[in-house]
Amino acid sequence: AISFERLSRLMGEVFGLAISEGAIANILARAEKPLLAACVPIAAAVRVSLVVGSDETTARVGAKTWWQWVLLSSTAICDVIADTRAAVMITAFLEGARQMCPAHLLRDTKYAIESDNTAFTPGFRLLLLRANAERRRGAQAVPCDAARSG
């Protein structure tokens, strides 16, 4: 985040534009409504995607720690500031759809194997581990039909 004071100084130093902190606050206040309206179709595009990625990091709002969430699909990116880091934020954004975190899926497969669920879980765990290794190598995703034939 950048303060209005720093933004005012930046505009002067980089662009030669003398603009007060108050003018910046007024510009942002006038832009709020159209920017919020522009967010609606972007969020909708992310929600209808078959695959949605997300990540969060801390953000300061006033004097409190909030979280800046980035939710993205192959066609849209939505940025959300929320007062929670909990999965409820993702569920609310996705309107009830459940997010599947690869690390949590791997943990759950370990528990399932330990509970003697050996019919499905070991193969699923290997698939998750392979997908994670491919992601780290930067490999292209394999289409489902190609994966079945190989």
Side-chain angles (χ1 to χ4, degrees):
I2 186 169
S3 70
F4 288 173
E5 177 188 1
R6 288 178 66 195
L7 188 55
S8 176
R9 192 171 58 236
L10 174 84
M11 297 302 280
E13 292 173 3
V14 174
F15 300 107
L17 177 65
I19 186 167
S20 70
E21 295 171 42
I24 292 170
N26 290 335
I27 290 168
L28 292 173
R30 283 193 309 270
E32 181 180 15
K33 191 172 181 178
L35 288 174
L36 288 173
C39 288
V40 172
I42 294 169
V46 172
R47 283 185 189 104
V48 300
S49 178
L50 294 177
V51 176
V52 176
S54 68
D55 198 9
E56 46 70 28
T57 190
T58 57
R60 296 298 287 173
V61 176
K64 295 188 177 192
T65 299
W66 284 41
W67 284 266
Q68 178 177 0
W69 289 86
V70 177
L71 301 113
L72 60 123
S73 67
S74 61
T75 60
I77 300 171
C78 192
D79 193 45
V80 177
I81 302 289
D83 63 351
T84 181
R85 186 180 184 199
V88 67
M89 202 301 294
I90 297 279
T91 304
F93 177 85
L94 295 176
E95 299 176 338
R98 185 163 176 244
Q99 178 193 22
M100 304 303 278
C101 170
H104 293 141
L105 282 173
L106 278 171
R107 180 199 60 204
D108 292 347
T109 60
K110 181 180 178 208
Y111 295 150
I113 290 169
E114 290 170 356
S115 299
D116 203 28
N117 181 348
T118 56
F120 168 77
T121 310
F124 183 64
R125 182 173 175 77
L126 287 174
L127 176 67
L128 289 173
L129 290 169
R130 181 177 172 208
N132 195 41
E134 292 292 324
R135 179 190 57 79
R136 274 186 262 142
R137 281 200 303 262
Q140 293 291 326
V142 178
C144 291
D145 291 337
R148 273 184 280 216
S149 63

